[in-house]
Amino acid sequence: QVQLVESGGGLVQAGGSLRLSCAASGSIFSINAMRWFRQAPGKQRELVAAMISGGRINYRDSVKGRFTISRDNAKNTVYLQMNSLKPEDTAVYYCNADIETLGNMNRGYWGQGTQVTVSS
């Protein structure tokens, strides 16, 4: 069993900052990619940032220069530092990871989501 547990969401004023964390636990052999998605009410889930094995990082254009994805491999944890937050960043943020388990099974996993609300 593998679990992803997010934390760090909350309510913040526009211009403020939040740091999201996502910790993976369970029968993990390797983590090949970790990503942050978000879904606002009435909208499709969208990719916010991704960190692929080898160090490649991608951001959606609307968060470039404001959000930073990072990873602590020893803790199997990925972070999303969000600065200069805007009301349009309000959404449920989900962690996603491509994980190979100790049983050599590869699949994607999702966290339960954490709410980020930015007030104007």
Side-chain angles (χ1 to χ4, degrees), residues 1 7 19 41 45 59 74-75 80 86 88 93 98 103 111:
Q1 287 281 4
S7 60
R19 188 194 195 206
R45 192 170 296 189
Y59 298 99
K75 296 181 179 179
L80 186 67
K86 304 176 181 180
E88 51 264 43
Y93 283 71
D98 296 338

Side-chain angles (χ1 to χ4, degrees), residues 34-96:
M34 298 191 86
R35 308 174 184 89
W36 288 98
F37 286 78
R38 67 186 180 188
Q39 187 167 20
K43 294 189 176 181
Q44 289 189 328
R45 192 170 296 189
E46 60 186 22
L47 178 64
V48 176
M51 178 175 279
I52 313 300
S53 92
R56 286 179 295 154
I57 293 176
N58 295 303
Y59 298 99
R60 74 179 300 103
D61 286 346
S62 61
V63 308
K64 285 180 180 177
R66 299 189 298 121
F67 290 12
T68 303
I69 188 171
S70 62
R71 180 173 164 179
D72 185 334
N73 291 327
K75 296 181 179 179
N76 285 336
T77 298
V78 65
Y79 304 97
L80 186 67
Q81 177 67 43
M82 305 185 293
N83 299 328
S84 302
L85 282 161
K86 304 176 181 180
E88 51 264 43
D89 295 318
T90 295
V92 178
Y93 283 71
Y94 296 91
C95 176
N96 168 267

